[in-house]
Amino acid sequence: MVLVSGKTTFVVCYDCQKNELSGEITDPEMKKLFDIPEELYKKSSFLRSIKSNYLKFGKLTDKQKEAFVKVAKELQKPTT
């Protein structure tokens, strides 16, 4: 079972997508960007999608990078 929120139209669990996300990243900037706790990837299909797109196409737009950083920071905030 997978927790779904928002308008997710196609749900893929982390375990099913894990192999897709395990590609090698050689660009130091991108390596640093994607170096976040694995738990965040488990929580967010959005973060997995951004990383998957980078691994498929080899690049991201500035907006994609900004959104990735914003969501990762929000997920790391402690909840009260």
Side-chain angles (χ1 to χ4, degrees):
M1 291 181 35
V2 177
L3 177 64
V4 178
S5 60
K7 296 181 180 182
T8 305
T9 56
F10 184 71
V11 179
V12 179
C13 70
Y14 175 75
D15 292 330
C16 297
Q17 202 173 18
K18 192 173 183 177
N19 285 341
E20 184 180 325
L21 300 173
S22 64
E24 184 177 348
I25 299 172
T26 56
D27 182 336
E29 178 189 354
M30 292 294 110
K31 192 177 270 193
K32 183 178 178 182
L33 178 73
F34 293 121
D35 186 26
I36 62 174
E38 185 176 8
E39 192 62 35
L40 297 182
Y41 288 115
K42 288 180 181 179
K43 287 181 182 179
S44 174
S45 62
F46 175 76
L47 295 179
R48 294 193 308 265
S49 171
I50 296 288
K51 185 174 182 179
S52 175
N53 285 339
Y54 175 76
L55 290 169
K56 283 180 191 172
F57 304 112
K59 60 184 177 179
L60 293 176
T61 66
D62 290 337
K63 296 257 185 198
Q64 287 173 310
K65 292 176 195 175
E66 291 170 15
F68 185 92
V69 169
K70 180 182 176 185
V71 170
K73 282 183 181 179
E74 287 177 7
L75 289 174
Q76 288 179 330
K77 287 182 184 176
T79 56
T80 55

